[in-house]
Amino acid sequence: MEAYILAVLAMAGIYAMLAVSYDLAFGYAGLFSVAHGAFFGIGAYAGALSMLNLGLPFPLALLAGAAAAGLVAAAIALPASRLEGDYLIVGSLAFAVICHELMLNLTEVTRGPMGIPGIPPPSLFGFDFDTPWLQLLVILAVLAVIGLVAWRIAASPYGRVLRALKDDPTALEAAGKSVRRRKLEILTVSAAMAGAAGVTYASYVAFIDPESFIARTSFVIIVATVLGGAGTLWGPAIGALVIWCVPEALRFAGIPATLRGPLNEIVYAALLILIVMLRPEGIAGRRRLRTRTETGTTTTASTTTPAN
Amino acid sequence: MTQLTLRRRGLGRLALGLPAVAAGLAPSAGRTQARYPELWRMGAVLNLSGPTAAQGADFRAGLEFAAAQWNARGGLGGTRIEIIFEDSAAQPARAVTAAQKLIQVDRVNVLANVYSSPVLAVVPITDRARVLQISAGATSPRLVGISRYFMTSVANAALEAEVALAFAKQAFNARRVSIFYGNDDFGTGMRDAVRRLWPAAGGTIVEDEGVDPTRADLAAVSAKLAASRPDAIYMALSGASIGAAVKQLREARFTAPILSHQGFESRDLFSVAGSAAENSFWTSSSNPEGGPQEAAFVAAFRQAYNRDPAIFVRTHYDLGMSLFEAMARMRQQGQDWTAENIRAGLLGLGTFTGVLGPFSYREDGTALRELDIRTYRRGEAAVHLSAAEIQQRGIFDFGARRT
C-alpha cells in the first residue's frame, strides 16, 4: 500500500510542478498556451539523453532539461509573442503537434515510438535515490525549488508586471514596458520549469515515449490549473493532486472495469464544469464578492487584499 | 459470466479511497495469499479508455472469458480466479500507478499488461516487487530477455517478419521489398525487423514509409510506395488504417503481393478493402488441430458476449488459459504459486494448444508460435501454406527455434 500511495503522490508532485509553472504563464500573465506538455517532453528527452549518453548526474541533467525546454520556448516565443488570445492557442497547439511528430520521427535521437527505456533514478555523489520514499523526496525537493522560484517571481514587482500583462497589456505598453519582451521571458521561465519536471518524470518512470507528451498532457495541466485556481500558485498544485487522486480513488469504488476508464474522463469534465459554474476562481482562488456601487452597477471585489 | 471476477464493492469505498490515497491510512485490500487460497487474484493493466479502448475491451474479454471458463469447472483445483482490471489508457504514467495499486493494495503476483510502452514502464516495478508481468499484446523486439519477470504469449514481431519474408523469397523470388509501417511501437518494431532481416537474406529495401496508424487518408504514401516498384510490400500497420492502406495501394496500381502479420486478418479490413485484399499474404498462428476446439470457443464466446471473438480476444484468451493451466498443474504437483514458480510453470507447459494454435514460452520471455501463411481469396481468408508445408518446403524451420 505504501509504495502505491507514494507512486500516486509522486505523479501528483510531478504534475504539480507542471501546473505551478503553467500558472506563471497562464494564471499570472494570461498566456493561454497548450504547448506546456511539449516543453515537459523536451525536458524529459533532453534530461534522459544527457543522463544516458553523456553520463550527467541528475542535478546537471535537470539543468540540461530545463535549459533545453527554455531555449526552445524562447525561440518559439519570439514569433509567438506577437500572438494573443485564440491565435496563441492555435499557434501553441501547432507547436505541440510538431513537437510530437519530431519525437516520433527523429528516431536517431529519440528512438521514435519505441521510446527510451532504462533511464537511471536520481543520484547524487554516487548515492541512488531509488526507493519509493527517496524518489518522492527528490520530487518534493524539485517541486519546492520550482514553487519557491515561482513564488519569488509572483511576489516581486515583476509579478505585478505580469498581472498587468494579463489585465491590460495596452496600459502596460503605455507605461513603457515591453509586452513582447515580458511574454518571451515568462514563457521561457515557465517552459524551463516544465522541462525540469520532464527530467524528474523521466528519472522516476525510467521510460519515456512520445505518447506521454501528447496534447492531452497539456489539457490535464490546464484542467489542474483551472481546478485549483489560476493565479494562486499553490492552487494549481492542489489541482494536480485532485487530478491524480480522484481517478485513483475511483479504483476503490467497485465500479465495473468497463465503466471505470470512460468514467475517469467524465469525472475530469464534471469537475471542470462544476468548478467553472460554482467557483470560477478555482479551489484556492480568491473569493470574489458581488457588491453594488452607489450608481447601481455590479462590481466584484476580492475578500483578501490583492497581492499587489 | 456474472460469477466472474468483477469486484462489487460498495460505493462507500470511493469515499474511503481518496483519504486513503492522501493519508496512507487505508487497510490493505489483500495480504500475502495463502498457499492455495479460496480466491486467487491477478491484476490486469489495460487500455480501458482513450483512443485504443476498443482493443482494450477485447483484451479484457479474452482474459475474463478464460477465467470464467476455469471458474465454471471449479477453478484452479478449487481456487476461484479473480481478475482485477485497472485502466492505463495505454499511458506509461497511468500504467505505473495502476501497477503499484494492483501490487501493493491487491497483492497480486501476476500482472497482465499490453503494449510495449506500458510494459517497459512497469518492468522496474514488477522486478522490484518480484511480480510476474505477462502480455499478449507487447511484441517489440526490445522486450526479448528484458526481465526474468516478463513473459509474452504472442509471437515476437521479428519472427512473423522473418517467416513472411522467407515465404516471399521462395514463392515470388522477391528481391526488392518496400515497407509500409505505422508510426507506433509495433510498426517501427516490425520495420526494424524487416530492415535487418531482408538485406541479410540478400534482398534490397527499396523504400520505407511510416504513417500515423489512426489515419485513413494514405493515398499519397500509397502512391509513393507503389511508384518504388517493389516485388512486394511488407505492411506493418495495425488497427483501423490497415484496410484503407490496402485499398489505396491497389488504387495506386500496385498489383504485386502485399505481405503482413497476424493483425492483417480482420473483418473490418476485408469490408473496407474488399477484393483489393487479394494477392495479400500474412502470417498467422497455425492451428492445425484447432477446428472443433476453435468452433466450441467461438460458440461459447458468442453466447456469453453476443458477438464474435476478435483476434485480440483470442490472444488474451490463450494467455489466460495457458497461465491457468500452468497453475493448475503446479497445484497438482504441490508447488507454491510464487511468481518465480509460475514462470517456471509456463516454461514447463511445453507446447500449449490455444485457440490460436500451439505455442510455447521461451526462456527469453518470448513465445514461439508456428505460423501459417494465409491469404484472401473468393471473399474470405484461407490458409495458403500451413506451418507444416512451410517446414516441408524448407521456407522456415520452426523446430530449430524451439529452444
Side-chain angles (χ1 to χ4, degrees):
Chain A
M1 186 70 180
E2 180 183 284
Y4 165 59
I5 292 168
L6 295 178
V8 174
L9 291 177
M11 290 309 305
I14 290 166
Y15 270 75
M17 294 176 207
L18 291 167
V20 168
S21 59
Y22 184 69
D23 196 30
L24 274 182
F26 173 65
Y28 282 83
L31 300 174
F32 193 177
S33 153
V34 289
H36 216 58
F39 296 124
F40 177 45
I42 290 167
Y45 272 100
L49 292 170
S50 62
M51 279 191 275
L52 289 169
N53 296 345
L54 305 177
L56 288 188
F58 178 75
L60 291 181
L62 202 64
L63 293 176
L71 285 173
V72 172
I76 295 301
L78 277 173
S81 58
R82 291 175 178 275
L83 304 175
E84 56 187 37
D86 297 346
Y87 298 101
L88 180 61
I89 298 171
V90 173
S92 60
L93 181 62
F95 170 71
V97 171
I98 290 166
C99 268
H100 184 247
E101 290 297 316
L102 287 174
M103 288 171 193
L104 275 174
N105 292 295
L106 279 177
T107 49
E108 288 77 11
V109 180
T110 64
R111 295 172 52 97
M114 311 284 273
I116 301 176
I119 302 163
S123 66
L124 196 62
F125 304 120
F127 179 77
D128 287 338
F129 292 77
D130 57 356
T131 67
W133 272 108
L134 290 174
Q135 285 176 322
L136 181 63
L137 191 69
V138 170
I139 288 166
L140 291 178
V142 178
L143 174 61
V145 171
I146 286 177
L148 193 66
V149 172
W151 175 72
R152 287 298 304 146
I153 291 173
S156 68
Y158 187 79
R160 288 197 290 277
V161 173
L162 292 182
R163 284 206 180 87
L165 177 63
K166 178 185 180 182
D167 293 338
D168 196 341
T170 311
L172 187 68
E173 197 83 55
K177 306 283 186 188
S178 167
V179 167
R180 282 193 64 196
R181 188 176 149 195
R182 297 299 180 274
K183 281 185 180 178
L184 190 149
E185 287 168 354
I186 200 60
L187 282 172
T188 303
V189 170
S190 169
M193 290 175 172
V199 182
T200 316
Y201 169 83
S203 195
Y204 175 68
V205 177
F207 172 78
I208 53 170
D209 72 342
E211 298 313 302
S212 303
F213 312 110
I214 51 177
R216 187 180 183 279
T217 309
S218 294
F219 295 129
V220 172
I221 299 165
I222 293 168
V223 170
T225 308
V226 173
L227 198 67
T232 60
L233 289 183
W234 63 282
I238 292 174
L241 194 67
V242 172
I243 284 287
W244 271 92
C245 286
V246 168
E248 294 302 324
L250 283 176
R251 296 190 196 280
F252 297 87
I255 299 166
T258 43
L259 298 178
R260 208 180 305 141
L263 195 63
N264 279 344
E265 311 297 320
I266 293 169
V267 166
Y268 280 150
L271 278 174
L272 197 59
I273 291 168
L274 282 174
I275 279 289
V276 168
M277 284 177 64
L278 303 177
R279 196 178 166 85
E281 323 75 29
I283 294 170
R286 280 187 296 275
R287 190 66 144 152
R288 284 172 186 273
L289 297 176
R290 285 182 179 280
T291 57
R292 192 166 288 276
T293 63
E294 288 175 2
T295 57
T297 55
T298 301
T299 60
T300 58
S302 172
T303 54
T304 57
T305 307
N308 292 291
Chain B
M1 288 304 300
T2 51
Q3 288 185 344
L4 157 76
T5 70
L6 295 177
R7 293 181 311 162
R8 305 283 181 200
R9 295 182 182 174
L11 278 173
R13 294 213 56 176
L14 171 62
L16 285 175
L18 192 54
V21 167
L25 296 174
S28 290
R31 290 282 180 265
T32 304
Q33 298 187 13
R35 191 175 194 196
Y36 300 119
E38 285 182 16
L39 181 69
W40 179 80
R41 290 188 180 124
M42 68 171 279
V45 179
L46 304 179
N47 43 321
L48 301 173
S49 65
T52 57
Q55 283 184 7
D58 283 349
F59 301 151
R60 180 182 55 77
L63 285 170
E64 254 183 3
F65 193 54
Q69 290 200 328
W70 273 87
N71 283 337
R73 54 175 120 133
L76 303 170
T79 296
R80 278 174 46 74
I81 303 160
E82 179 182 23
I83 306 177
I84 305 167
F85 294 97
E86 294 295 349
D87 178 34
S88 70
Q91 294 288 315
R94 286 280 177 202
V96 165
T97 53
Q100 289 282 21
K101 184 258 178 185
L102 288 166
I103 293 168
Q104 300 293 331
V105 180
D106 300 307
R107 303 280 186 188
V108 303
N109 65 349
V110 175
L111 186 75
N113 199 347
V114 284
Y115 301 134
S116 303
S117 300
V119 164
L120 282 161
V122 168
V123 159
I125 296 165
T126 46
D127 277 3
R128 201 181 302 138
R130 297 168 68 179
V131 165
L132 184 65
Q133 187 176 193
I134 55 173
S135 179
T139 57
S140 167
R142 275 180 308 147
L143 294 168
V144 178
I146 190 165
S147 164
R148 284 189 67 237
Y149 293 97
F150 173 72
M151 300 192 87
T152 177
S153 63
V154 288
N156 194 265
L159 180 69
E160 288 210 52
E162 196 171 354
V163 173
L165 293 171
F167 162 74
K169 191 169 182 181
Q170 192 180 88
F172 315 121
N173 197 26
R175 290 285 175 268
R176 294 157 48 85
V177 165
S178 291
I179 312 168
F180 196 164
Y181 66 94
N183 222 344
D184 52 14
D185 58 349
F186 172 79
T188 52
M190 275 285 194
R191 176 205 62 192
D192 291 347
V194 175
R195 274 183 183 168
R196 178 171 49 83
L197 293 164
W198 191 239
T204 306
I205 303 289
V206 188
E207 187 88 66
D208 60 24
E209 286 291 336
V211 294
D212 179 345
T214 61
R215 281 183 57 186
D217 175 17
L218 305 168
V221 174
S222 300
K224 189 178 178 200
L225 284 166
S228 68
R229 299 186 178 281
D231 299 326
I233 287 178
Y234 191 91
M235 189 168 283
L237 282 163
S238 58
S241 61
I242 195 164
V246 170
K247 192 165 189 295
Q248 289 168 39
L249 265 179
R250 296 305 188 202
E251 286 170 355
R253 300 183 189 285
F254 178 75
T255 55
I258 293 171
L259 308 170
S260 196
H261 56 90
Q262 193 153 270
F264 189 90
E265 187 171 333
S266 75
R267 188 169 295 170
D268 288 346
L269 182 145
F270 300 136
S271 67
V272 171
S275 60
E278 289 179 6
N279 202 24
S280 298
F281 302 90
W282 63 93
T283 44
S284 181
S285 296
S286 178
N287 196 4
E289 297 160 16
Q293 183 196 352
E294 187 181 1
F297 161 74
V298 171
F301 186 86
R302 206 177 281 158
Q303 190 177 6
Y305 287 83
N306 200 26
R307 64 182 169 102
D308 284 337
I311 181 76
F312 295 123
V313 173
R314 294 164 190 250
T315 54
H316 282 71
Y317 177 77
D318 279 0
L319 176 71
M321 293 302 274
S322 60
L323 171 69
F324 304 142
E325 175 69 30
M327 292 178 65
R329 288 189 196 180
M330 288 167 65
R331 181 167 188 160
Q332 285 172 358
Q333 293 162 6
Q335 293 177 3
D336 288 341
W337 287 336
T338 62
E340 290 85 356
N341 283 353
I342 293 172
R343 180 181 189 275
L346 288 171
L347 290 169
L349 278 178
T351 301
F352 178 84
T353 301
V355 293
L356 280 174
F359 68 97
S360 52
Y361 290 97
R362 301 203 300 180
E363 282 283 351
D364 63 5
T366 64
L368 177 71
R369 283 182 179 269
E370 295 193 356
L371 301 168
D372 290 340
I373 297 286
R374 291 171 69 84
T375 191
Y376 184 76
R377 54 175 172 246
R378 290 186 287 278
E380 61 183 32
V383 174
H384 181 72
L385 283 179
S386 68
E389 289 171 317
I390 290 170
Q391 186 99 19
Q392 282 165 10
R393 295 184 186 191
I395 294 173
F396 191 84
D397 185 0
F398 291 105
R401 302 297 176 93
R402 201 174 287 120
T403 57

